Amino acid sequence: ASTSQPVTRSGATERAEAARSIDLPPVGDPSTFAALQAEIRRLAREHAAVILAHSYERGGVHAVADAVGASLLLCAVAAVAFSGKAVIIKLAYRHGVDALTLLALRMLFSAPLFGALAWWSARRGGGSRLSPGDLLAIAVLGIVGYYLSSYFDFLGLQYIPAALERLVLFLSPTFVLLLSALIFGRRITALDLF
């Protein structure tokens, strides 16, 4: 059980200010890298964070990572699996399954994984406790941001081909960028494009 206090806006601000004021040696000093690694590990322990590193990163990154993996391979597998979801849904529709049943099955199959992740995170301890307001915000975001978007995605697959659905889904960040420029007048920078 964690003994830390609930996260508040002022607490988050204080932590952000403290992170910016980390006392590190000057950049040219050889101990800078070691001090930075030590500070990263300290912050990871304090916040119960897991640091994952790509296998192609330099050794200094590996030194602070909890795990190093073949991330390019994992990304490729994830992209294929993510794209394959639409094909599997279209096949299920041929057998008379509706969108709500498919979504319920998806949630049911993923629940043990998320339960295990929650248990593992709680067991590690050291994290901040969430306030009731934070829990409510997470619940609302989960329902609106994930459940409804997935439900509408599944419904849409009853009317459009899987390839078009995947194209629209993968272009969502581009749509958000363009709409933010058109509606809110946000300037698109080179960093946004790459």
Side-chain angles (χ1 to χ4, degrees):
S2 175
T3 59
S4 57
Q5 297 297 321
V7 175
T8 62
R9 287 192 189 277
S10 62
T13 304
E14 289 171 11
R15 281 196 308 279
E17 288 171 1
R20 282 192 291 273
S21 65
I22 294 171
D23 186 26
L24 292 174
V27 174
D29 189 334
S31 64
T32 299
F33 196 66
L36 184 58
Q37 286 179 326
E39 183 64 13
I40 291 169
R41 292 304 319 151
R42 184 191 68 75
L43 288 169
R45 280 190 307 278
E46 180 181 316
H47 296 285
V50 176
I51 300 174
L52 306 175
H54 298 289
S55 58
Y56 53 82
E57 290 290 342
R58 294 189 191 121
V61 174
H62 292 176
V64 297
D66 294 303
V68 177
S71 54
L72 290 177
L73 176 63
L74 291 175
C75 287
V77 169
V80 169
F82 187 64
S83 297
K85 180 192 76 160
V87 175
I88 293 168
I89 292 168
K90 294 293 267 187
L91 290 172
Y93 284 154
R94 286 187 180 177
H95 296 282
V97 181
D98 65 334
L100 195 56
T101 302
L102 284 173
L103 190 57
L105 287 170
R106 180 184 187 190
M107 301 295 180
L108 184 67
F109 285 126
S110 63
L113 172 69
F114 288 114
L117 289 172
W119 171 81
W120 180 70
S121 177
R123 200 186 91 200
R124 286 189 70 192
S128 301
R129 302 188 81 205
L130 295 173
S131 69
D134 290 336
L135 291 171
L136 178 63
I138 290 169
V140 169
L141 282 173
I143 292 167
V144 174
Y146 183 77
Y147 179 78
L148 283 180
S149 68
S150 294
Y151 181 65
F152 291 138
D153 181 30
F154 283 35
L155 280 178
L157 281 166
Q158 292 177 341
Y159 305 102
I160 63 173
L164 178 59
E165 183 266 350
R166 290 290 97 179
L167 182 63
V168 169
L169 196 62
F170 279 115
L171 285 174
S172 293
T174 305
F175 294 145
V176 169
L177 180 64
L178 293 175
L179 288 173
S180 67
L182 291 172
I183 296 171
F184 301 110
R186 183 182 179 278
R187 192 171 150 255
I188 299 175
T189 66
L191 186 62
D192 294 324
L193 300 176
F194 301 102

